[in-house]
Amino acid sequence: MDCNRMEILARRWFAAETTLAEEAELARALDMLPPERLAALSPDLLAAAAMIRAARDFGRPSVDIRMRAALSPLRIAAATAFSAAAIVVAAMLMSRPTVYGYVNGMPVTSLAEARQHSERMFSDLAKDMQPTADAVDKLLLTLD
């Protein structure tokens, strides 16, 4: 079989337009090619050869390329509806507000509010770390 005929059959095979006899003809032609000629084939023919050989290696007589073309409109509608629902759920999960922290068990979702709380917390900590007047007096009295 010449390369033009194989190219035509490969294109038709990928479009799920071949008959079972044409698929068998393409598989036989690709099987009869020596390995050194396989390297010179077009990408379509290489892909078809690989798929046909892989199907045979897995014990299947041929690749069911027609499945895509044979999908019923109801299956296509169901798949589209499922995909749309998955996209909506993913968008809802990704649109949750960012939580910057928790104050008294409540989430803080505003960055400005989170900064305000952290500044207040650090200023309270700094106040607590400053020695009081009584502590300084006691320290001075013990040094005398």
Side-chain angles (χ1 to χ4, degrees):
M1 177 185 299
D2 65 342
C3 282
N4 288 337
R5 172 80 176 147
M6 284 193 297
E7 287 282 345
I8 292 169
L9 284 177
R11 272 190 242 115
R12 289 188 60 217
W13 184 67
F14 280 117
E17 297 171 347
T18 55
T19 64
L20 290 176
E22 289 172 329
E23 285 180 28
E25 179 185 356
L26 178 63
R28 274 192 310 276
L30 290 172
D31 282 340
M32 289 191 304
L33 285 176
E36 60 273 0
R37 249 192 97 204
L38 274 175
L41 295 178
S42 71
D44 285 345
L45 282 173
L46 282 174
M51 290 174 71
I52 290 170
R53 285 191 179 128
R56 193 172 305 121
D57 290 345
F58 286 118
R60 299 178 71 190
S62 69
V63 179
D64 192 9
I65 200 84
R66 287 185 180 78
M67 193 160 90
R68 177 178 46 124
L71 286 177
S72 69
L74 182 60
R75 284 186 180 175
I76 293 172
T80 304
F82 180 78
S83 299
I87 290 170
V88 167
V89 168
M92 287 173 54
L93 289 175
M94 290 173 33
S95 68
R96 287 186 175 172
T98 303
V99 176
Y100 295 101
Y102 293 88
V103 175
N104 297 329
M106 299 298 295
V108 177
T109 57
S110 164
L111 184 58
E113 187 179 350
R115 283 186 182 145
Q116 179 186 9
H117 285 295
S118 65
E119 288 172 4
R120 185 171 31 139
M121 182 178 64
F122 286 122
S123 68
D124 290 347
L125 182 63
K127 283 182 199 173
D128 289 342
M129 292 180 72
Q130 290 178 352
T132 60
D134 292 338
V136 172
D137 288 343
K138 285 181 186 177
L139 181 62
L140 290 176
L141 289 175
T142 56
L143 292 176
D144 286 337

